[in-house]
Amino acid sequence: MLSPLIKDILSAPADLQEVRVRGWVRTKRDLKNLVFVEVNDGSCFSSIQCTFDRSAAVGAAVGAALGSALDAASLAALEGLSTGASVEVWGRLSPSPAAGQAVEVAAAGISLIGEAPAGAYPLQKKRHSLEFLREIAHLRARTNTFGAVARVRNRMAYAIHEFFQSRGFQYIHTPIITASDAEGAGAMFQVTTLDLAALAESGKAPDYGKDFFGKKAFLTVSGQLEVETYATALSRCYTFGPTFRAENSNTTRHLAEFWMVEPEISFAHLEDDMELAEAFLKELFTTALTSCAADLAFFDAHIEKGIIEALQSVVASKFVHLSYTEAVRELESAGSGGRFQFKPYWGCDLQSEHEKFLTEQLVKGPVIVTDYPQEIKAFYMKQNDDGKTVRAMDVLVPRLGEIIGGSEREDKLDRLQARMQALGMEPADYGWYLDLRRYGAVPHAGFGLGFERLILYITGMANIRDVIPYPRAVGLADF
Ligand code: 4AD
Ligand code: MG
């Protein structure tokens, strides 16, 4: 049987009398005969205080009366105890006289499971910089910040499944290795078992027919195309998995390996897609506020002031919709005084300074920008009748910019073929995708939420490398 976690002990203290706490020492303080040891097991933000009374050991009779006589082994363990050591503590749960905690453990004994010598353990009681912690990513989950990030990540992954499962969506496992470039952006990692060194030596061009898959293969940039095939059979689907982009963008918002949630809905148009995206984000924020309250209180106090209020206000708001054309008009009139480094014009890709302006200055909240020029969007998006724009939507949020990108998909075979041809795509490679437009085609739409961007937004953390356990980016694949 698994013993109760600290979370269980703190949330149902009335049910527990004698407890056993297992975890890692955060702090140890001595006060005359008393020793206070804060133990954390990561199950929740709080540590539990374990109070030892050394005098109980001396006067054995008194100690026995209190039920807390410390044996020699416990006294020895307490002696050398330092931050980071793993321990097991047993004792009685009692009301705590200390502020900020309802209960503590009146400890009867402790055993040291694994030491963490103070001179060597890199995580001392002081505050460490996020940069330093990135270098010891294998230990950073033991800090308040990274423990909280991990718990929010976990809860949000669960909430994503809850949201879709409760609405009749089926979870589809789309492939990680693929031969198609879903976004047509070309930023793909190639997967090969060819001997690159031997090839280089021979000076010959690689023969991909002899490669593992008999052709060129890549890590997926998105599960969308494959999830579309299931959505046009099971009506509502989603995929949620790792995606990979070999973009050379060394920013605080880009990773080379990130997790993406992609719902796809049949018999749906862009309006349905936007409605779903808004409901989705609001439900995730609501769950974070209610189920991760202690972790969010920490982020609000120590990472980004006002984050809780910001999330609450987004939940209460109605997302503003703005067409790309309207957005550019606003940017042009705001940018006349040289406000932007990149001058906005119709046809430009929105830069992060533009997204910042739209969300933080113009709307002061999330905004959904729709109907982008087709040249700056992927080949599969539904073409508007103006011949210039596509039924795309990006959800932009303050502080971060794009958190969701989606669209209605082109469901007309001839239009999709024409677009692919114009982009020089090989129709033979996408025959299966075109079949969805040949047989039982339906209007359908979907979007992708970058999971780490969601976590950035909810926690207020500034760098995407701090919201995934082991970040992968240009020049970075440690651990
Ligand atoms: O806008 P993107 O490229 O859209 C797609 O991939 C579509 N197939 C989605 C769909 O319609 N099913 O990416 C979607 C989201 C972005 O809005 C962003 O949140 C995140 O994925 N994202 C990244 N997150 C971290 N690092 C990167 N390099 C990212 N690129 C995109
Ligand atoms: Mg996008």
Side-chain angles (χ1 to χ4, degrees):
M1 252 289 270
L2 297 175
S3 56
L5 293 165
I6 291 174
K7 152 173 95 90
D8 305 320
I9 296 174
L10 293 176
S11 62
D15 302 344
L16 299 157
Q17 303 267 297
E18 300 292 324
V19 289
R20 237 162 230 283
V21 171
R22 295 175 180 130
W24 292 266
V25 172
R26 279 295 175 83
T27 61
K28 181 192 140 197
R29 282 180 300 125
D30 285 81
L31 189 74
K32 292 188 185 138
N33 271 323
L34 296 178
V35 186
F36 302 100
V37 179
E38 296 274 346
V39 179
N40 187 285
D41 70 357
S43 62
C44 60
F45 185 83
S46 301
S47 304
I48 195 161
Q49 178 171 293
C50 304
T51 305
F52 297 84
D53 185 352
R54 276 195 282 232
S55 62
V58 183
V62 182
L66 290 172
S68 59
L70 295 174
D71 58 16
S74 293
L75 285 171
L78 276 179
E79 211 46 57
L81 204 60
S82 60
T83 297
S86 51
V87 292
E88 179 173 49
V89 176
W90 53 96
R92 230 184 17 226
L93 207 55
S94 357
S96 175
Q101 56 191 22
V103 289
E104 61 179 48
V105 178
I110 178 169
S111 93
L112 175 66
I113 299 173
E115 60 175 5
Y121 185 54
L123 275 180
Q124 288 308 316
K125 215 185 117 185
K126 63 174 192 145
R127 205 185 166 113
H128 296 287
S129 76
L130 295 172
E131 290 74 21
F132 169 72
L133 292 173
R134 238 171 263 150
E135 289 168 17
I136 51 161
H138 59 300
L139 295 173
R140 66 180 180 170
R142 299 182 185 191
T143 64
N144 278 335
T145 305
F146 289 91
V149 167
R151 281 184 298 274
V152 170
R153 235 188 117 95
N154 166 67
R155 188 62 188 87
M156 288 301 97
Y158 181 34
I160 283 164
H161 289 295
E162 286 179 314
F163 178 88
F164 289 122
Q165 294 292 330
S166 68
R167 284 166 178 77
F169 284 72
Q170 321 252 0
Y171 178 30
I172 308 299
H173 298 100
T174 51
I176 306 286
I177 298 175
T178 175
S180 41
D181 183 355
E183 291 301 299
M188 302 177 84
F189 288 100
Q190 194 172 343
V191 178
T192 181
T193 52
L194 292 177
D195 185 339
L196 299 182
L199 265 174
E201 219 166 274
S202 74
K204 283 197 223 121
D207 176 0
Y208 291 109
K210 296 213 177 83
D211 203 349
F212 190 91
F213 299 103
K215 58 179 171 180
K216 267 191 168 181
F218 305 91
L219 294 180
T220 188
V221 294
S222 155
Q224 180 197 318
L225 304 192
E226 290 91 351
V227 88
E228 275 186 57
T229 67
Y230 270 71
T232 51
L234 306 184
S235 296
R236 294 178 200 170
C237 295
Y238 66 108
T239 177
F240 181 12
T243 49
F244 307 86
R245 297 198 183 174
E247 297 161 339
N248 202 348
S249 15
N250 218 332
T251 79
T252 54
R253 300 179 310 141
H254 289 87
L255 288 167
E257 175 179 298
F258 64 99
W259 286 65
M260 185 160 43
V261 193
E262 296 181 276
E264 192 70 29
I265 36 179
S266 277
F267 309 101
H269 298 282
L270 191 67
E271 290 67 25
D272 306 298
D273 204 31
M274 292 192 282
E275 216 174 277
L276 183 70
E278 180 169 342
F280 180 47
L281 287 177
K282 285 179 175 174
E283 181 158 310
L284 294 180
F285 297 162
T286 303
T287 303
L289 286 164
T290 51
S291 302
C292 307
D295 291 320
L296 287 201
F298 168 80
F299 290 120
D300 199 310
H302 298 285
I303 302 290
E304 171 82 18
K305 297 243 173 316
I307 188 80
I308 290 179
E309 206 187 313
L311 291 171
Q312 286 165 337
S313 93
V314 170
V315 169
S317 74
K318 176 90 196 79
F319 288 12
V320 170
H321 295 188
L322 209 58
S323 74
Y324 170 89
T325 302
E326 288 164 337
V328 167
R329 205 175 294 138
E330 294 286 353
L331 289 166
E332 282 173 334
S333 71
S336 53
R339 164 185 221 136
F340 301 119
Q341 191 191 342
F342 296 94
K343 195 172 181 300
Y345 59 92
W346 199 96
C348 76
D349 216 344
L350 297 185
Q351 301 294 324
S352 81
E353 56 176 346
H354 302 148
E355 296 176 345
K356 250 181 154 29
F357 171 80
L358 294 174
T359 54
E360 293 173 13
Q361 306 292 322
L362 186 71
V363 172
K364 297 191 169 57
V367 49
I368 309 187
V369 178
T370 65
D371 301 289
Y372 284 74
Q374 81 172 5
E375 275 67 34
I376 58 171
K377 287 292 180 188
F379 72 96
Y380 51 71
M381 296 190 181
K382 186 165 181 68
Q383 296 158 39
N384 280 316
D385 290 332
D386 63 10
K388 293 192 303 195
T389 59
V390 287
R391 302 248 69 196
M393 63 105 175
D394 279 3
V395 182
L396 314 179
V397 292
R399 255 193 311 116
L400 200 68
E402 180 186 341
I403 191 166
I404 280 180
S407 66
E408 183 169 340
R409 319 307 188 188
E410 185 54 78
D411 54 334
K412 293 207 173 72
L413 181 64
D414 54 343
R415 282 198 176 185
L416 183 57
Q417 279 173 322
R419 186 70 194 137
M420 290 171 71
Q421 199 173 10
L423 290 169
M425 294 170 69
E426 183 52 64
D429 292 346
Y430 294 88
W432 58 275
Y433 188 66
L434 292 168
D435 272 355
L436 306 181
R437 281 75 184 165
R438 288 191 181 101
Y439 313 121
V442 288
H444 61 289
F447 62 78
L449 165 72
F451 189 55
E452 286 73 23
R453 300 241 177 125
L454 172 80
I455 306 303
L456 272 183
Y457 190 66
I458 291 175
T459 59
M461 295 292 285
N463 192 325
I464 199 161
R465 297 175 187 198
D466 295 332
V467 295
I468 188 165
Y470 297 103
R472 271 78 180 95
V474 189
L476 181 68
D478 298 335
F479 303 98

